């Protein structure tokens, strides 16, 4: 039988067309550093005299697309060059089968001319005769200055020369020419390293990532003072990087039966023929990459209260702020009346204040409303003046916009009569808020800001006390001369703003804003809080008692200002199962929360308080479910006492995570398991019967308000998702993400380049061209 060699030979011939390697270079830096590298490449400038020649590989192995990317890299380098006859000269030469001079170094004297002519270079094709082109340059750079200035040769090639390159490259380097080897497409690293000058790590680049390659080239030139950065704080740093090569390996996959004709008549030979499979093995080679990094606008961590800084170029940025800290650019509290309040400014227009003092008060009010009111403000303002009688010039909230309010203030006249402050307070208490006055819990907090510089000529204590009983917050603003009068009227020194010099009045705006929006009301409505009620809906409670629990928590909720910026409320019930009736961010208004509380299901069955508390920790008090970093958090648990045997440890876990826990236990006997669950003695309210819950509402509200004022640890509970690590720094926090996650709270999944590449190789047949580095997954820079 003749030897059977033809089939393996044919297989080898077919698969030899597969690219033997797909090399990549990966710099191990963060996304923030990637952005800084890109910015720094635009901040560098080369103005020292030098001759620079681009040697462009225009062979067929490059292809037209990669040739265009090589031109784009050359143009990007030119943007950093001070091109002129006396400083930097630039020329270009293309090679394929033979060298072709595109333009000599002395052809163009401006940067724009050079860039335009680089764009016009046409792809020629041919073999890759790199060595021949290098030999051509031994006679000197065309149009150069004969070595009187530094000479730089930038070779842009795929490194697949069809002739020897080591000797001609060495001869050029020995003549004083600095050689950069810039890879394009899928270059051969060994040939690039053969071409490049020493130190080779700083003279070998990849043009596929233009900004990074430009940064690397200019960083190397900055060490020889040919280039400098526009920012003196910029610096060259070394980063670990890897050159990766995917080697195509042939492996014997097995044998198969095959046939071939015999030379003998009617003869067929059968044999076992080997067949092969091909796979790619990723091989990595550690290297060092040198890049210039400039200080970024986010380096100083300008975003407060857990805000995330997003750079926007060289010196601009914006902050992504947590919901609880919406405000100015740095997530600082806004100087605005974001609280829900009706404010009536009461201006003394009497002769005792004088026309000058009245005008000064009007100017203060105008500046105040212009500074703190916006179209989205939840506050409403009105203006009244008094001497003998009260005159409401601008009813609360009855103006079209801020300019309209200011124009109305301009029209308020000076009266010049007696100073009857007591009479004015009585009228304000009864009629000052007009149509803005509402009743019940839906009424916003109301405040009167009295501005005066004269003593009242009537009695003020009684009228002021009457106004306070009508739930009016009285604030006084005036000179030191009337400080005692204002303290009597407002009922507290804390409610008085005093200035020594009349010119200091305008400086009281921030303090007045703070006092208007920081007044605790019944239910501490001005306090930010994430509050979760946990109701025992097990059979041991029963449906009737469960309904009484619902009524109790609804009445407690009436005492809070429910909205996404102040108090968020959630509800969890447990019995035969644990169920989130609604989460913290489900209902943004108090009416919606009240309706949802009425619809909470009674579950029955045997309840486990411990399981319910763990449910709150894992699935309710989390950033992804609406919990706000930096906001106090509390859980109020109402239970009949049964099923609390396993709850002590979960309750302590919540407390360790910065979440306050209060237990409201209902029953004739206080069970020992409930006592252990409650922890501290002030975290337990024992009620004898469900019908008595209403008598303990104030005690519960007082506890919640006290907890809402406790110092907050921004990392407890951790705002970082997916096992991210919360790090406190400078009064703020940031999340260190692990395992391929990123984002302000590690909420975004990022597929690493290696995983994406391996996935694509599993899905695609051998021989199919892989994505270019620019198509790789984000999070790792391909250069």
């Amino acid at each position: 039988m003749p030897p059977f060699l033809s089939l393996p030979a044919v297989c080898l011939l077919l698969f030899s067309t597969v690219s033997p390697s797909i090399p990549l270079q990966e710099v191990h830096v963060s996304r923030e550093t990637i952005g800084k590298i890109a910015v720094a490449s635009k901040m560098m400038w080369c103005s020292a005299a030098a001759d620079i020649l681009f040697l462009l590989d225009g062979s067929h192995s490059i292809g037209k697309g990669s040739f265009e990317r090589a031109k784009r890299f050359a143009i990007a380098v030119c943007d950093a060059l001070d091109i002129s006859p006396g400083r930097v000269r630039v020329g270009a030469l293309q090679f394929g089968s033979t060298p072709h001079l595109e333009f000599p170094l002395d052809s163009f004297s401006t940067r724009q001319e050079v860039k335009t002519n680089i764009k016009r270079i046409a792809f020629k094709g041919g073999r890759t005769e790199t060595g021949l082109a290098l030999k051509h340059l031994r006679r000197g750079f065309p149009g150069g200055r004969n070595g009187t200035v530094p000479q730089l040769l930038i070779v842009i090639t795929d490194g697949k020369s069809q002739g020897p390159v080591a000797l001609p490259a060495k001869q050029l380097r020995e003549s004083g020419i600095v050689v950069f080897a810039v890879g394009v497409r899928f270059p051969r690293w060994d040939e690039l390293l053969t071409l490049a000058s020493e130190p080779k790590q700083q003279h070998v680049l990849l043009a596929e990532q233009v900004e990074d390659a430009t940064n690397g080239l200019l960083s190397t030139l900055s060490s020889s003072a040919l280039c400098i950065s526009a920012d003196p704080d910029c610096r060259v740093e070394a980063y670990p990087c890897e050159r990766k090569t995917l080697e195509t390996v042939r492996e014997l996959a097995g044998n198969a039966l095959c046939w071939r004709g015999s030379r003998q008549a009617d003869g067929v030979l059968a044999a076992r023929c080997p067949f092969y499979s091909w796979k790619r093995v990723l091989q990595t080679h550690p290297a060092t990459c040198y890049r210039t990094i400039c200080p970024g606008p986010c380096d100083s961590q300008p975003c407060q209260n857990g805000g995330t800084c997003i750079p926007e170029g060289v010196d601009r940025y914006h902050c992504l702020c947590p919901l609880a800290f919406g405000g100015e650019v740095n997530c600082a509290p806004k100087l605005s009346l974001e609280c829900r309040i009706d404010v009536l400014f009461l201006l003394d227009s009497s002769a005792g204040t004088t026309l000058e003092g009245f005008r000064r008060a009007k100017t203060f009010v105008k500046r105040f409303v212009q500074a703190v009111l916006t179209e989205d403000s939840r506050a409403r303002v009105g203006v009244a003046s008094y001497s003998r009688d009260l005159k409401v010039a601008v009813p609360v909230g009855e103006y079209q916009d801020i300019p309209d309010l200011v124009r109305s203030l301009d029209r308020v006249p000076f009266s010049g009569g007696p100073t009857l402050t007591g009479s004015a307070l009585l009228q304000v208490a009864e009629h000052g808020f007009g149509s803005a006055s509402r009743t019940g819990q839906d009424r916003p907090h109301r405040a009167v800001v009295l501005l005066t510089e004269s003593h009242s000529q009537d009695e003020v204590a009684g009228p002021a006390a009457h106004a306070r009983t009508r739930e009016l917050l009285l604030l006084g603003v005036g000179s030191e001369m009337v400080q005692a009068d204002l303290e009597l009227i407002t009922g507290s020194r804390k409610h008085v703003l005093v200035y020594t010099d009349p010119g200091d009045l305008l400086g009281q705006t921030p303090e007045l804003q703070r006092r208007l929006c920081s007044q605790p009301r019944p239910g501490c409505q001005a306090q930010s809080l994430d509050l979760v009620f946990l109701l025992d809906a097990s059979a041991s409670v029963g449906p009737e008692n469960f309904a009484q629990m619902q009524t109790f928590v609804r009445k407690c909720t009436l005492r809070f200002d429910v909205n996404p910026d102040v108090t968020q409320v959630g509800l969890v019930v447990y019995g035969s199962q644990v169920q989130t009736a609604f989460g913290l961010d489900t209902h943004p208004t108090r009416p919606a929360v009240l309706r949802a509380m009425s619809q909470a299901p009674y579950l029955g069955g045997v309840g486990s308080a411990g399981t319910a508390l763990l449910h709150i920790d894992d699935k309710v008090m989390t950033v992804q479910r609406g919990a706000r970093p930096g906001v106090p958090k509390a859980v109020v648990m109402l239970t009949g006492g049964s099923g609390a045997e396993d709850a002590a440890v979960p309750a302590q876990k919540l407390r360790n995570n910065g979440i306050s826990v209060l237990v409201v236990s209902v029953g004739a006997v206080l069970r020992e398991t409930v006592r252990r669950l409650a922890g501290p003695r002030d975290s337990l309210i024992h009620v004898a019967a469900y019908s008595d819950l209403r008598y303990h509402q104030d005690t519960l509200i007082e506890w919640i308000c006290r907890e809402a004022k406790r110092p907050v640890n921004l990392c407890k509970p951790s705002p970082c998702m997916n096992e991210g690590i919360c790090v406190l720094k400078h009064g703020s926090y940031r999340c260190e993400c692990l395992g391929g996650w990123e984002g302000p709270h590690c909420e975004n999944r990022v597929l690493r380049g290696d995983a994406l590449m391996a996935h694509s190789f599993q899905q695609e047949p051998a021989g199919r061209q892989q994505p270019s580095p620019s198509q790789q997954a984000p999070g790792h820079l391909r250069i």
Side-chain angles (χ1 to χ4, degrees):
M1 180 179 295
F4 196 88
L5 300 175
S6 59
L7 183 58
V10 171
C11 290
L12 181 60
L13 176 63
L14 291 175
F15 282 94
S16 65
T17 60
V18 178
S19 176
S21 64
I22 303 178
L24 298 169
Q25 183 168 284
E26 186 175 89
V27 181
H28 296 289
V29 294
S30 65
R31 294 179 66 89
E32 179 183 0
T33 304
I34 291 172
K36 288 185 176 182
I37 289 173
V39 170
S41 67
K42 298 179 176 64
M43 297 179 62
M44 303 181 74
W45 183 242
C46 307
S47 60
D51 285 349
I52 300 177
L53 179 65
F54 289 102
L55 185 58
L56 305 175
D57 185 345
S59 64
H60 286 309
S61 64
I62 287 285
K64 189 172 182 180
S66 295
F67 185 74
E68 292 299 320
R69 285 195 291 274
K71 288 164 52 178
R72 189 164 66 246
F73 166 71
I75 290 171
V77 173
C78 289
D79 284 331
L81 304 179
D82 184 8
I83 298 177
S84 65
R87 293 186 179 274
V88 181
R89 294 183 183 181
V90 175
L93 186 147
Q94 180 183 177
F95 70 93
S97 299
T98 59
H100 174 75
L101 179 63
E102 298 293 344
F103 56 88
L105 282 84
D106 56 359
S107 295
F108 307 111
S109 58
T110 67
R111 186 186 314 111
Q112 190 57 48
E113 288 177 322
V114 171
K115 290 169 59 177
T116 299
N117 281 273
I118 290 177
K119 290 180 182 179
R120 292 174 179 171
I121 297 176
F123 176 68
K124 295 187 179 300
R127 300 187 309 275
T128 311
E129 296 289 353
T130 311
L132 186 62
L134 296 176
K135 292 177 182 178
H136 178 78
L137 295 175
R138 287 167 57 185
R139 292 173 286 180
F141 283 3
R145 283 169 277 190
N146 299 323
T148 58
V149 297
Q151 294 178 298
L152 280 69
L153 177 64
I154 303 176
V155 185
I156 310 176
T157 178
D158 63 358
K160 300 174 184 178
S161 178
Q162 294 175 280
V165 298
L167 181 58
K170 179 181 178 182
Q171 291 172 339
L172 286 177
R173 295 195 301 267
E174 290 176 346
S175 68
I177 297 175
V178 177
V179 181
F180 285 89
V182 183
V184 70
R185 194 173 169 80
F186 302 125
R188 291 176 178 164
W189 292 107
D190 54 352
E191 184 166 313
L192 295 183
L193 291 168
T194 300
L195 291 171
S197 295
E198 295 286 349
K200 294 186 180 293
Q201 300 280 18
Q202 298 184 41
H203 290 82
V204 175
L205 303 162
L206 191 70
E208 299 296 332
Q209 292 287 344
V210 172
E211 291 176 338
D212 181 83
T214 304
N215 185 300
L217 187 145
L218 300 178
S219 298
T220 302
L221 295 181
S222 66
S223 63
S224 58
L226 293 176
C227 301
I228 60 172
S229 175
D231 188 338
D233 293 329
C234 296
R235 61 194 181 278
V236 178
E237 294 187 353
Y239 295 96
C241 59
E242 288 181 341
R243 297 193 178 103
K244 299 186 178 183
T245 304
L246 290 171
E247 300 290 347
T248 304
V249 179
R250 187 182 72 160
E251 289 187 344
L252 179 65
N255 294 282
L257 192 62
C258 58
W259 297 266
R260 62 173 297 177
S262 172
R263 295 179 182 177
Q264 301 175 0
D266 301 325
V268 177
L269 297 179
R272 303 291 295 182
C273 301
F275 66 94
Y276 297 90
S277 65
W278 299 79
K279 73 174 184 178
R280 289 175 176 174
V281 180
L282 187 66
Q283 295 183 350
T284 60
H285 308 281
T288 303
C289 296
Y290 295 84
R291 301 293 181 265
T292 296
I293 298 294
C294 299
C298 293
D299 287 358
S300 61
Q301 297 184 334
C303 302
Q304 306 172 32
N305 299 310
T308 301
C309 183
I310 307 297
E312 296 178 343
V314 178
D315 56 1
R316 298 180 59 191
Y317 67 93
H318 71 274
C319 293
L320 294 178
C321 303
L323 290 176
F325 295 98
E328 296 181 341
V329 66
N330 294 341
C331 302
K334 287 183 179 178
L335 182 62
S336 62
L337 289 176
E338 289 299 306
C339 56
R340 186 167 177 259
I341 189 171
D342 288 347
V343 183
L344 179 67
F345 286 94
L346 183 58
L347 310 183
D348 184 352
S349 180
S350 67
T353 292
T354 71
L355 176 60
E356 181 183 0
F358 179 70
R359 289 175 174 172
R360 187 162 49 243
K362 285 206 302 182
T363 300
F364 171 76
V365 175
K366 287 193 290 185
R367 295 279 183 88
F368 183 87
V369 298
Q370 288 171 334
V372 305
L373 287 185
T374 65
E375 293 180 359
D376 300 327
S377 291
R378 302 169 62 239
R380 300 183 299 177
V381 172
V383 180
S385 64
Y386 75 94
S387 59
R388 186 183 302 277
D389 298 309
L390 178 74
K391 297 178 181 178
V392 179
V394 184
V396 173
E398 296 186 16
Y399 50 88
Q400 296 180 350
D401 51 27
I402 307 305
D404 179 55
L405 175 58
V406 172
R407 287 191 296 270
S408 299
L409 273 166
D410 288 332
R411 294 192 293 268
V412 178
F414 176 68
S415 300
T419 309
L420 303 182
T421 306
S423 175
L425 290 172
L426 284 174
Q427 296 177 69
V428 164
E430 298 300 328
H431 312 293
F433 289 84
S435 60
S437 180
R438 303 179 216 165
T439 60
Q441 292 292 338
D442 189 47
R443 184 179 65 192
H445 190 35
R446 300 180 300 166
V448 177
V449 180
L450 171 64
L451 288 96
T452 181
E453 294 182 354
S454 61
H455 297 287
S456 178
Q457 295 175 260
D458 63 351
E459 193 266 333
V460 296
H466 175 69
R468 294 197 297 272
T469 61
R470 298 295 299 270
E471 296 184 0
L472 292 180
L473 169 66
L474 300 182
L475 297 176
V477 182
S479 63
E480 287 183 325
M481 182 180 67
V482 295
Q483 180 175 354
D485 292 2
L486 293 178
E487 291 178 3
L488 178 63
I489 291 170
T490 62
S492 172
R493 178 176 296 182
K494 296 180 180 179
H495 294 166
V496 176
L497 282 72
V498 175
Y499 51 87
T500 303
D501 188 277
D504 296 335
L505 173 59
L506 296 180
Q508 299 293 331
T509 296
E511 183 62 23
L512 176 59
Q513 179 272 337
R514 187 187 68 80
R515 298 195 187 190
L516 283 171
C517 280
S518 64
Q519 297 302 317
R521 292 180 278 171
C524 51
Q525 297 189 35
Q527 295 288 339
S528 295
L529 178 67
D530 286 342
L531 175 63
V532 175
F533 289 100
L534 175 61
L535 304 186
D536 185 347
S538 66
S540 64
V541 172
E544 294 80 12
N545 292 334
F546 178 76
Q548 293 195 60
M549 284 185 179
Q550 287 177 289
T551 301
F552 176 70
V553 296
R554 289 180 78 253
K555 288 183 178 180
C556 291
T557 303
L558 287 171
R559 305 276 289 272
F560 293 93
D561 187 2
V562 178
N563 70 75
D565 296 322
V566 184
T567 301
Q568 291 189 145
V569 178
L571 177 63
V572 175
V573 295
Y574 72 96
S576 57
Q577 59 180 331
V578 179
Q579 182 175 330
T580 301
F582 55 90
L584 288 167
D585 59 350
T586 304
H587 300 298
T589 64
R590 184 165 54 197
V593 168
L594 296 176
R595 285 193 298 270
M597 283 180 166
S598 300
Q599 298 167 1
Y602 171 73
L603 302 175
V606 178
S608 169
T611 302
L613 291 170
L614 291 175
H615 176 86
I616 291 175
D617 188 48
D618 293 337
K619 299 181 179 179
V620 180
M621 284 290 191
T622 62
V623 171
Q624 55 264 49
R625 302 299 172 92
R628 299 166 294 175
V631 173
K633 293 170 175 55
V635 174
V636 176
M637 175 181 175
L638 281 79
T639 176
S642 178
E645 293 79 5
D646 61 346
V649 173
Q652 189 59 44
K653 180 181 179 182
L654 287 171
R655 294 186 178 107
N656 292 341
N657 283 339
I659 303 171
S660 302
V661 179
L662 174 71
V663 179
V664 180
S665 175
V666 185
V669 178
L670 178 61
R671 303 190 181 193
E672 184 61 26
T673 56
V674 175
R675 192 186 302 276
R676 291 198 302 268
L677 163 64
R681 295 291 299 177
D682 59 352
S683 295
L684 172 66
I685 299 176
H686 181 239
V687 183
Y690 289 95
S691 58
D692 294 336
L693 279 171
R694 63 182 184 274
Y695 302 124
H696 298 271
Q697 181 176 327
D698 290 340
T699 304
L700 173 60
I701 297 299
E702 180 181 353
W703 180 88
I704 293 175
C705 294
R706 185 169 64 249
E707 295 303 305
K709 296 176 182 177
R710 292 175 58 217
V712 175
N713 185 330
L714 290 170
C715 287
K716 286 191 176 183
S718 174
C720 307
M721 307 178 197
N722 302 304
E723 300 182 348
I725 300 173
C726 182
V727 179
L728 289 172
K729 192 171 184 181
H730 304 305
S732 181
Y733 76 89
R734 60 183 175 85
C735 290
E736 292 185 352
C737 304
L738 305 174
W741 295 90
E742 67 172 17
H745 299 104
C746 304
E747 69 276 18
N748 298 324
R749 181 67 171 172
V750 178
L751 191 61
R752 286 177 54 87
D754 292 356
L756 180 62
M757 190 181 303
H759 177 74
S760 65
F761 292 148
Q762 293 172 1
Q763 299 296 322
E764 296 180 5
R768 181 171 176 178
Q769 182 175 335
Q770 300 303 313
S772 69
S774 62
Q775 296 172 314
Q776 300 295 331
H780 285 274
L781 178 60
R782 307 289 186 182
I783 67 168

